[in-house]
Amino acid sequence: DGEFLKSFDEASARHPQVGALPLLKGSFLFRAERYEDAIEALERAAPLMANRATPLDMLGQIHARQGRFDEAIKAHESATQAEPANAHFLIGLTDALLQAGEVARALETSQRAMVLEPSNQGALARWGLALRKLADPREEGLNDYENLVQIFDLPPPEGYSSMDDFNRDLNAYLDPMHQDARAPLEQTLRKGTQTHDNLIGRGHDLVERLRARIDEAVFAYMARMKEDDAHPLFRRRTGQMRYQGSWSARLSDCGYHTNHVHPFGWISSCYYVALPDAVADEESKQGWIKFGEPNLNIGLADPIRRIVQPVPGRLVLFPSYMWHGTVPFRSQQSRTTIAFATVPA
């Protein structure tokens, strides 16, 4: 910890006019939730950069995290004025507006982001939040938690007669990939580890056996989609898909995933490899996957719209724009999953 970001300070001392150095340092500090230190670094970066939009956008995100929504909106507006065709900056502005209670403006900025990037799942997620706050019936069609969150209890892969045996071997196979000492800063998991690089398509024998079962489930999910060229999920169906990213997450005691979406996906997932006994408690729902609750405090009266119990061998599929996270759990047993996002091919 004592060496964290020390190299950025050494590089900045040698190259004080390079704004990218304090910008990158500020982004790491932001992800580490050291907000005041991040602000200091970003305020140093902004005047050194020809394009100040990125540090302004990040400053806006920090101000929003601190509850200073007027300052957040001002910073995000400056970023969007500098780069009006940048959907990411419009999403940042939308977040600040939603948290400030300016829902009508948030609806408009999310729609502008969707025009720029129609398949940006982050923009769709914010549009859905604005619709929800406005009690607009389009939100029900967008998310439709009962039908678009689908559960598949997979049959054993080739060479196995039971999912218990397969998951036992798969969990052991994943052990060497979960040797990091702490959770990565850039991911959504807290108190756990996540594998590096993609799992699917990299020659991992057990993963590829599982992939055959996953493929069957994803194609079944696609086949159930309605014919609706106006719907952000259904209109992208081509009959084919490819994996956009795949990884394994392992949560330890008190671990969870923060609420999030997958900005560059289409169909997202969670497959359960090994679970703590705590998930059996149907009252506390420890370790369960929840849907509908955003990572923004926008005053929703009933934020969780659906919650699904994990079961070893169970695959849950849902739209990548749908907010999802994990209920924390207390156990000395780990919670191991494989997740992926697919896109049309």
Side-chain angles (χ1 to χ4, degrees):
D1 287 343
E3 298 297 307
F4 181 55
L5 304 181
K6 183 178 178 182
S7 60
F8 281 92
D9 295 332
E10 293 170 349
S12 288
R14 295 184 183 185
H15 306 282
Q17 298 306 310
V18 177
L21 291 169
L23 173 65
L24 289 169
K25 180 182 178 181
S27 71
F28 277 110
L29 289 166
F30 170 56
R31 283 177 275 179
E33 299 181 354
R34 291 170 51 180
Y35 297 136
E36 293 303 326
D37 292 336
I39 289 172
E40 187 275 330
L42 294 168
E43 287 180 342
R44 282 194 293 114
L48 297 174
M49 304 187 73
N51 184 345
R52 300 176 60 185
T54 297
L56 286 168
D57 173 72
M58 204 170 298
L59 282 168
Q61 294 181 57
I62 294 171
H63 291 323
R65 292 279 184 95
Q66 295 177 319
R68 304 203 300 259
F69 299 122
D70 289 344
E71 293 176 68
I73 291 169
K74 182 177 179 181
H76 283 302
E77 286 176 336
S78 296
T80 58
Q81 288 165 6
E83 289 192 32
N86 189 311
H88 173 77
F89 295 159
L90 282 166
I91 290 170
L93 176 56
T94 302
D95 284 350
L97 291 168
L98 283 168
Q99 292 173 97
E102 298 189 32
V103 182
R105 283 191 65 196
L107 183 67
E108 186 269 333
T109 54
S110 65
Q111 289 171 334
R112 285 165 55 194
M114 290 161 56
V115 169
L116 292 170
E117 296 184 11
S119 297
N120 187 309
Q121 305 296 283
L124 285 166
R126 274 69 176 188
W127 182 61
L129 288 178
L131 294 175
R132 188 169 165 187
K133 286 291 291 183
L134 294 169
D136 189 311
R138 288 178 293 177
E139 191 271 335
E140 292 293 335
L142 174 69
N143 286 306
D144 190 5
Y145 297 95
E146 289 306 312
N147 292 305
L148 298 184
V149 177
Q150 296 183 17
I151 297 169
F152 297 83
D153 291 317
L154 302 184
E158 181 183 358
Y160 285 86
S161 59
S162 76
M163 287 304 286
D164 287 343
D165 290 344
F166 174 74
N167 281 320
R168 180 199 61 228
D169 290 352
L170 178 60
N171 195 41
Y173 183 86
L174 294 170
D175 282 345
M177 305 183 198
H178 284 287
Q179 297 300 316
D180 289 349
R182 65 181 69 191
L185 280 177
E186 69 275 11
Q187 302 299 339
T188 63
L189 77 168
R190 301 292 184 266
K191 298 186 182 297
T193 59
Q194 183 162 311
T195 57
H196 305 281
D197 303 321
N198 287 322
L199 278 181
I200 293 175
R202 295 301 176 93
H204 300 297
D205 176 49
L206 293 180
V207 175
E208 292 307 304
R209 295 194 206 191
L210 177 64
R211 176 185 180 171
R213 298 298 186 223
I214 289 173
D215 284 352
E216 293 168 357
V218 174
F219 278 97
Y221 185 92
M222 291 163 51
R224 296 170 186 171
M225 291 183 183
K226 300 174 183 177
E227 295 289 342
D228 185 351
D229 290 339
H231 194 283
L233 179 72
F234 305 150
R235 72 186 177 203
R236 298 179 67 189
R237 184 177 62 176
T238 64
Q240 299 297 323
M241 64 85 179
R242 62 179 175 84
Y243 290 90
Q244 188 266 339
S246 54
W247 58 94
S248 172
R250 177 170 286 171
L251 299 176
S252 54
D253 185 35
C254 299
Y256 64 99
H257 287 271
T258 60
N259 298 319
H260 63 287
V261 300
H262 297 154
F264 304 108
W266 176 44
I267 301 169
S268 289
S269 67
C270 189
Y271 173 78
Y272 298 100
V273 180
L275 297 167
D277 293 338
V279 302
D281 186 345
E282 296 186 2
E283 184 175 348
S284 65
K285 297 178 172 54
Q286 295 182 63
W288 291 30
I289 185 170
K290 54 184 177 174
F291 296 95
E293 182 178 48
N295 65 356
L296 309 170
N297 184 2
I298 60 172
L300 293 172
D302 186 22
I304 299 175
R305 303 293 290 278
R306 187 173 177 187
I307 190 164
V308 174
Q309 184 176 25
V311 175
R314 173 165 289 177
L315 174 69
V316 183
L317 297 178
F318 51 92
S320 294
Y321 58 72
M322 189 175 282
W323 292 99
H324 60 285
T326 308
V327 179
F329 66 91
R330 292 303 312 268
S331 176
Q332 296 307 307
Q333 300 168 308
S334 298
R335 177 186 185 274
T336 304
T337 59
I338 287 177
F340 59 85
T342 70
V343 292

